[in-house]
Amino acid sequence: DQQVKQNSPSLSVQEGRISILNCDYTNSMFDYFLWYKKYPAEGPTFLISISSIKDKNEDGRFTVFLNKSAKHLSLHIVPSQPGDSAVYFCAASVYQGAQKLVFGQGTRLTINP
Amino acid sequence: DAGVIQSPRHEVTEMGQEVTLRCKPISGHNSLFWYRQTMMRGLELLIYFNNNVPIDDSGMPEDRFSAKMPNASFSTLKIQPSEPRDSAVYFCASVRGVEYTEAFFGQGTRLTVV
């Protein structure tokens, strides 16, 4: 069972415009949510996170929104830059003996010049 | 710190052979995770450890897969016997403590079973 789902395998956005990546989850026990960015031949790197007690967290061009009632989160990148082209993974965390970190399938974002 | 170190970076093996993937977490980190990246499931959690103790191995696909963490600075993921469908990129990640959730990933091991 896929507890964290990213239903869009790919997204193409014009440089300078807003990129919106979406993620849905099923486990209401998740209490922390993260976004990771992955370039080819590298491991994923942490981008931004949000606690379940908040509904928005902003860091420069990146903003994460959390809608707990809908079990949905999104990542907004504005303005989008060519260097943002990568695979983005949504992740959710719940404490089960340790912080169990569950990831989605990933969305490949391409920023077109 | 050198970060999470995985070896080898690439592994090509024949079906039926034993494969061992290795991971050195960041010093001082308490939790260690093994993930497998596939197109269908993205980053699939296989197993995770806390203070060298396996907490949840429900993601391990079959009995052919096993993982150990004999000490705080080393973990292995073994596949025996390997099959072509095991071909994927395997990642190891470590987390500093129970109150932290940011995981640091290694560069991964690309496994090809022919």
Side-chain angles (χ1 to χ4, degrees):
Chain A
D1 63 332
Q2 192 80 23
Q3 293 188 324
V4 178
K5 296 182 182 180
Q6 294 175 256
N7 292 316
S8 298
S10 63
L11 176 67
S12 186
V13 174
Q14 203 74 20
E15 181 179 0
R17 307 293 286 268
I18 184 170
S19 296
I20 300 176
L21 296 96
N22 294 302
C23 177
D24 297 295
Y25 61 95
T26 57
N27 188 347
S28 58
M29 298 300 292
F30 287 138
D31 57 5
Y32 208 77
F33 303 88
L34 309 91
W35 284 93
Y36 279 74
K37 179 178 181 180
K38 184 185 180 303
Y39 291 118
E42 294 184 9
T45 55
F46 171 74
L47 188 58
I48 191 170
S49 62
I50 187 168
S51 165
S52 61
I53 62 173
K54 295 185 176 182
D55 54 19
K56 177 182 175 182
N57 187 29
E58 193 171 349
D59 183 2
R61 298 186 297 113
F62 302 90
T63 303
V64 56
F65 295 91
L66 175 63
N67 182 334
K68 282 198 303 181
S69 61
K71 294 191 177 69
H72 178 84
L73 67 156
S74 61
L75 174 68
H76 292 208
I77 307 173
V78 56
S80 300
Q81 299 174 354
D84 297 330
S85 296
V87 176
Y88 289 79
F89 288 97
C90 168
S93 174
V94 58
Y95 184 82
Q96 290 181 350
Q99 288 292 352
K100 181 177 182 178
L101 198 55
V102 180
F103 283 81
Q105 301 97 315
T107 297
R108 181 177 300 278
L109 175 65
T110 302
I111 306 300
N112 301 307
Chain B
D1 198 314
V4 177
I5 299 173
Q6 290 187 246
S7 64
R9 289 294 309 277
H10 303 274
E11 176 81 36
V12 180
T13 190
E14 290 186 348
M15 181 174 63
Q17 296 296 306
E18 176 182 303
V19 175
T20 300
L21 311 181
R22 296 173 175 78
C23 176
K24 176 178 167 53
I26 294 173
S27 177
H29 281 200
N30 300 108
S31 297
L32 182 140
F33 301 78
W34 281 100
Y35 291 91
R36 177 171 68 176
Q37 185 185 5
T38 63
M39 289 295 291
M40 287 297 294
R41 299 180 68 89
L43 282 169
E44 181 183 12
L45 178 61
L46 302 177
I47 184 171
Y48 64 103
F49 297 82
N50 188 49
N51 292 325
N52 313 335
V53 176
I55 302 299
D56 183 350
D57 66 354
S58 60
M60 298 285 257
E62 298 173 35
D63 291 345
R64 299 184 295 107
F65 287 71
S66 63
K68 293 181 180 180
M69 192 165 186
N71 56 61
S73 59
F74 184 65
S75 177
T76 59
L77 177 68
K78 184 181 293 186
I79 308 172
Q80 180 186 21
S82 57
E83 296 182 3
R85 59 194 167 124
D86 301 331
S87 298
V89 181
Y90 291 80
F91 288 102
C92 173
S94 68
V95 174
R96 186 167 20 147
V98 294
E99 70 272 25
Y100 296 97
T101 53
E102 181 188 341
F104 292 83
F105 281 78
Q107 291 190 294
T109 295
R110 179 173 293 278
L111 174 65
T112 303
V113 183
V114 297

